[in-house]
Amino acid sequence: MSLKNITHILNSETLASMTTHDSVDDLNATYWAQVTLNGDQLTKLEREVYYRLNQFALRYIGVAYLSANKLATIVGCGRATVFRAFKKLRTLGMIEVHNAKRRSDNRQTSNIVRILPLPIEETADTKEIDNGVPQFEEAQPANDSQGTIQNDSQGYSRNDSPLISSLLSSFSSSSKTFDATPNEILSAFNVETELTRAIQPLAIPVEQRIELLTKGIANHVRSVLSRQFPLLVRNFDLLAYVRQIESAATRTAYVAKKKKLRSITGYFLSVVTSLVCDEMAQMTAEIAIEEASGEGLSGYAAIVYGRYVAQEYASDEGLVMVRSIIDECSIGEVG
């Protein structure tokens, strides 16, 4: 596209004028409404692209700005694949993509992507669903001082989860007429196939698998992220972290073969939370760096600006991790 046809200058004034939502909560509601409406038409990669765009759209609510190269690196695909994902998301009415240029040298720079709102009518069903999986109102397992779940070596108490327990009990008592594999049981609870596969290495009963995949992982990770990355965690999508979950399960299974673990699920949750926190720190640093680049800054000035921006997204240990990443970065021209 000719630069003469690019009318948007990438700066804070332009971005502020293009916001599409009044609050982060509104943006998160749009994310889940769009995923619910269009999720069946999106590939796993297209959904992750949409999720990452939402993460970059928090400072100017509903407006993300980053290069296709940067997004491709984050998602783990090629630049052409990102553009194909953009095309699909635009076709479904989920985003708008605008070309932009820098004021300093009038060169084309990162795309401006607007997350388009979708009218949402809250129903009883949506109140019972969080992140696309049923939520059960049972007591939380006790946490130790490190935040890992303990006392599950004998399995979860069935009193902790009445609905799951009653169903599993009926499965056992009627085994002559009901014959289902663990994966079929998990499918009955609307657990995504990718998540089921991800924790396959864990040597735990199906009851614990259901607990982990319907709420255990999400709740535990959120409780930690809410302290370290309070802004990013508000639209936490478990499916965006399948790689981290799979890695944590594999590590846990390996360690469990080498030594006796007091709590397999506790160890697993500790590892997966650490991996997701690392990912969140990297993502926050990328957001801060991209914002610095959008302001036309580079080198040391961009690092200083990025460190300042980071405190809007991270706190406590999370902020320390993010600033460490930013300090190691050498920021040049946007690709």
Side-chain angles (χ1 to χ4, degrees), residues 28 30 33 52-53 93 106 120 131 145 172 241 313 329:
N28 295 339
T30 290
R52 298 305 179 184
L53 287 172
N106 209 38
I120 302 170
N131 288 9
S145 59
S172 300
Y241 299 94
Y313 296 91
C329 291

Side-chain angles (χ1 to χ4, degrees), residues 3 101-109 333:
L3 288 175
K101 56 186 177 182
R102 288 191 291 263
R103 175 175 291 169
S104 58
D105 56 11
N106 209 38
R107 292 178 60 187
Q108 186 170 355
T109 184
E333 295 293 322

Side-chain angles (χ1 to χ4, degrees), residues 24-168:
V24 174
D25 287 338
D26 289 342
L27 178 64
N28 295 339
T30 290
Y31 173 82
W32 288 112
Q34 291 282 21
V35 167
T36 299
L37 180 65
N38 298 307
D40 291 343
Q41 302 182 61
L42 300 176
T43 65
K44 178 183 176 181
L45 187 141
E46 289 164 350
R47 176 166 171 165
E48 184 169 358
V49 167
Y50 184 59
Y51 176 67
R52 298 305 179 184
L53 287 172
N54 275 264
Q55 285 189 312
F56 273 83
L58 298 177
R59 183 174 177 84
Y60 302 96
I61 304 175
V63 180
Y65 54 100
L66 71 165
S67 67
N69 287 339
K70 178 70 71 175
L71 185 55
T73 300
I74 292 170
V75 176
C77 66
R79 177 186 173 94
T81 304
V82 168
F83 284 125
R84 285 195 293 270
F86 278 2
K87 182 178 181 180
K88 171 70 78 64
L89 295 172
R90 290 172 64 183
T91 300
L92 293 174
M94 300 170 73
I95 65 170
E96 290 178 351
V97 181
H98 300 269
N99 293 304
K101 56 186 177 182
R102 288 191 291 263
R103 175 175 291 169
S104 58
D105 56 11
N106 209 38
R107 292 178 60 187
Q108 186 170 355
T109 184
S110 304
N111 295 306
I112 298 175
V113 181
R114 301 180 77 221
I115 310 297
L116 299 180
L118 181 72
I120 302 170
E121 294 182 4
E122 185 175 302
T123 65
D125 290 339
T126 59
K127 291 179 181 178
E128 295 173 358
I129 296 177
D130 182 23
N131 288 9
V133 295
Q135 298 299 297
F136 304 108
E137 296 297 329
E138 72 266 27
Q140 294 295 305
N143 288 6
D144 65 9
S145 59
Q146 281 73 42
T148 58
I149 294 180
Q150 301 298 320
N151 300 325
D152 72 333
S153 57
Q154 302 300 319
Y156 285 142
S157 168
R158 295 199 171 192
N159 293 328
D160 289 340
S161 182
L163 177 57
I164 293 175
S165 298
S166 62
L167 286 171
L168 291 173

